[in-house]
Amino acid sequence: MSSFAIYRLPFADHCIRVEQTDGEPAELHSCTELNGRSGFVVAPFDITPEQPILLIRPDVVKSVEVRGEGQEVRDMSAAEYPLTSHFSPLISSYAIDFANYHAQLKAGLFRKIVLARCVDEETAEPIEPMTLFRYACERYPRMFISLVYTEKSGYWLTATPEILLEKQDAQWRTIALAGTMKLEGEQLNGEGEALAWSTKNIQEQRIVATYITECLEQFTGDFQEEGPRTVRAANLVHLRSDFTFTLPDSDHLGDLLHALHPTPAVCGLPKRDTFNFIIRNEHAPRRYYSGFMGPIGEQTHLYVSLRCMNIEDNRYHLYAGGGLLKDSTEEQEWQETEAKLETMRSLLYV
């Protein structure tokens, strides 16, 4: 099968299919190798020889209608899902990881660290990946939706609200997205604008915004920050600050990506220390979850790979994570990951 990616930008009425007709995607081993390159990027959290950055060559690029064959996508509450996970202090791997991560925070070694987990779901019969992509497009108009296949990576479906790097006319932009609350009941009729944010969530988002400011200062003196504001993504809301900027040299996007990735929204601070700690200690390898993907080149729309699903026949590996601070509690963080897992899980039980 040819390598391909199909994606739908937020609120777009069509999607774009990028296909490499022969050979395998280029394998890159550093974000800096993206300087001057074009194609569709699929980057992992941890770039290794076994898990490289993949660059799908755009041999064929075409516009495709989002809406498929008219299937109705109905909303389901978490209670209707045939398979769900519930918080229990006896859930060993998450409890062990949380205790380990939290101890580092209490000792003052980290300011923030992100703990992720992976949940496996299984259906009686395989669901076509393109069907899941279509469901995601219909259900999540506010998000960047992408389905990617390469022989190296397999199938990955992503529905993410987080821009890593995007170009609009002569302006570039990125965002600081952190903090999470779940909408319930009547709140689902709005955008979450009336919700009050906790100190923990506000601090978490400010850490990410400060980091992005420090990154941009290395590449440009012309940038502006707006926010934070509350934004909705599926049944969740987050705090978001928008950064717009100009780049004197856009041929070196890989250098900027190297500075930005991974942001504290998916890693932590100090960046290198928390990154190394995650790689050594997290029970579930993240693979392409919390990396980034999207087109780069004349059209650049790179998004952090959140709300991910790796598809293997009728088995689906779902990923989610949450940022821990010193005052985080295990049950609250578990429930946050459960809320995030619903984004992908709900697509399996339409």
Side-chain angles (χ1 to χ4, degrees), residues 1-5 20-27 42 49-52 54-56 148-156 287-288 310-312:
M1 180 187 296
S2 299
S3 300
F4 75 90
Q20 180 169 331
T21 55
D22 62 82
E24 295 302 318
E27 296 186 6
V42 187
E50 297 75 29
Q51 216 160 248
L54 301 171
L55 184 62
I56 299 173
V148 171
Y149 172 81
T150 74
E151 185 175 346
K152 189 87 172 181
S153 65
Y155 279 103
W156 285 81
R287 304 172 65 202
Y288 288 90
N310 176 222
I311 304 167
E312 293 183 326

Side-chain angles (χ1 to χ4, degrees), residues 159-196:
T160 176
E162 185 169 353
I163 299 166
L164 181 64
L165 187 60
E166 185 171 58
K167 186 177 183 182
Q168 291 186 328
D169 299 322
Q171 288 280 309
W172 292 86
R173 67 172 180 152
T174 185
I175 67 172
L177 190 78
T180 301
M181 285 196 290
K182 184 177 180 180
L183 298 176
E184 297 178 302
E186 291 299 317
Q187 296 170 345
L188 292 167
N189 296 323
E191 299 295 315
E193 60 277 356
L195 293 175

Side-chain angles (χ1 to χ4, degrees), residues 270-281:
K271 174 178 172 175
R272 188 50 50 187
D273 292 342
T274 51
F275 177 84
N276 290 333
F277 186 86
I278 288 167
I279 298 304
R280 292 194 307 267
N281 292 278

Side-chain angles (χ1 to χ4, degrees), residues 68-89:
E69 299 167 3
Q71 289 94 337
E72 180 182 356
V73 180
R74 69 185 184 92
D75 289 329
M76 298 174 68
S77 69
E80 293 180 84
Y81 300 152
L83 297 169
T84 58
S85 303
H86 301 286
F87 174 77
S88 165

Side-chain angles (χ1 to χ4, degrees), residues 45 211 257-268 271-272 275 290:
F45 175 72
Y211 173 82
L257 290 168
H258 179 73
L260 288 171
H261 174 70
T263 74
V266 296
C267 185
K271 174 178 172 175
R272 188 50 50 187
F275 177 84
S290 67

Side-chain angles (χ1 to χ4, degrees), residues 299-314:
Q299 296 289 322
T300 297
H301 302 281
L302 299 177
Y303 280 71
V304 181
S305 303
L306 305 178
R307 320 292 193 268
C308 278
M309 175 193 295
N310 176 222
I311 304 167
E312 293 183 326
D313 296 320
N314 68 326

